[in-house]
Amino acid sequence: MSLSPSDDRLIVALDVPNAVAGLALADKLGDAVSFYKIGLGMLTGGGLALANELKQEQGKRIFLDMKLFDIGATVEAAVRGLAQFDLDFLTVHGDPHVVRAAKEGAAGSNLKILGVTILTSLDRADLDAALIQQGDLPDLVLTRAARALDAGADGVIASPQEAAAIRALPEAAGKLIVTPGVRPQGAALGDQKRVATPAQAVANGVDHIVVGRPIWQAPDPAAAARAILEELAA
């Protein structure tokens, strides 16, 4: 099956220690991958420089996963600074005041603001420990997603297991759903607790899936990426 290198539904998480390792991985993946996520863990390892290199020199799309949370003025200033790099996606926590501030900071740019609902590594016991209100986790995710979208978010980050319910929200019309917690059949779960396969995620209404370890830990990362793309294409 021939695959278009522009299939950007797969976002590869460059969860490696620094920009040098990230660039080496991107070189291995080549044309198989057109969209990369750079997270907070690489920020002090040259993450922004890597984002610029991949975007400006290689034409890749970039998802900056910063999960910003602060008072509105600080979030707005931070997002305004990041928007100047012409990146594609940025995460903030889905609290309405944070989303509204981030949208102000992104005004005039093409940067899409994605609200984080509840991290896919958390379960109800984790929420109890953090004094988060009672209720079933999927219901809390749905409520947070609706509020983030109503506040102006361009999309949300959510587990693939909640994606179908989010897609059915009136507020989700025309909005993006991006999901981590995607594992190809047979892959180790790692630190994720709410997972699905790539095909299940897309069937549930997800626009982009984020995959890290199953690709960069593979003996042949490009082959691992192509296998996921084949599953998406099928």
Side-chain angles (χ1 to χ4, degrees), residues 161-175:
Q161 297 179 9
E162 289 108 33
I166 292 174
R167 180 54 70 205
L169 289 170
E171 296 91 343
K175 303 285 188 171

Side-chain angles (χ1 to χ4, degrees), residues 84-170:
Q84 69 184 321
F85 295 106
D86 189 33
L87 306 178
D88 297 274
F89 293 173
L90 172 69
T91 49
V92 303
H93 279 270
D95 304 63
H97 85 275
V98 176
V99 171
R100 285 191 291 268
K103 286 295 290 181
E104 285 293 325
S109 75
N110 294 318
L111 183 63
K112 302 291 188 189
I113 300 300
L114 305 179
V116 175
T117 53
I118 294 174
L119 300 176
T120 53
S121 59
L122 303 183
D123 57 20
R124 185 62 251 183
D126 297 313
L127 300 188
D128 291 342
L131 302 180
I132 303 297
Q133 74 177 62
Q134 292 299 309
D136 290 337
L137 197 144
D139 294 335
L140 295 178
V141 168
L142 201 60
T143 300
R144 280 182 62 79
R147 290 182 180 180
L149 294 170
D150 190 55
D154 298 295
V156 293
I157 307 292
S159 155
Q161 297 179 9
E162 289 108 33
I166 292 174
R167 180 54 70 205
L169 289 170

Side-chain angles (χ1 to χ4, degrees), residues 45-61:
L48 282 177
L50 176 62
N52 282 324
E53 169 77 14
L54 292 174
K55 178 77 179 187
Q56 304 302 331
E57 303 300 324
Q58 299 190 26
K60 305 297 186 182
R61 301 188 71 196

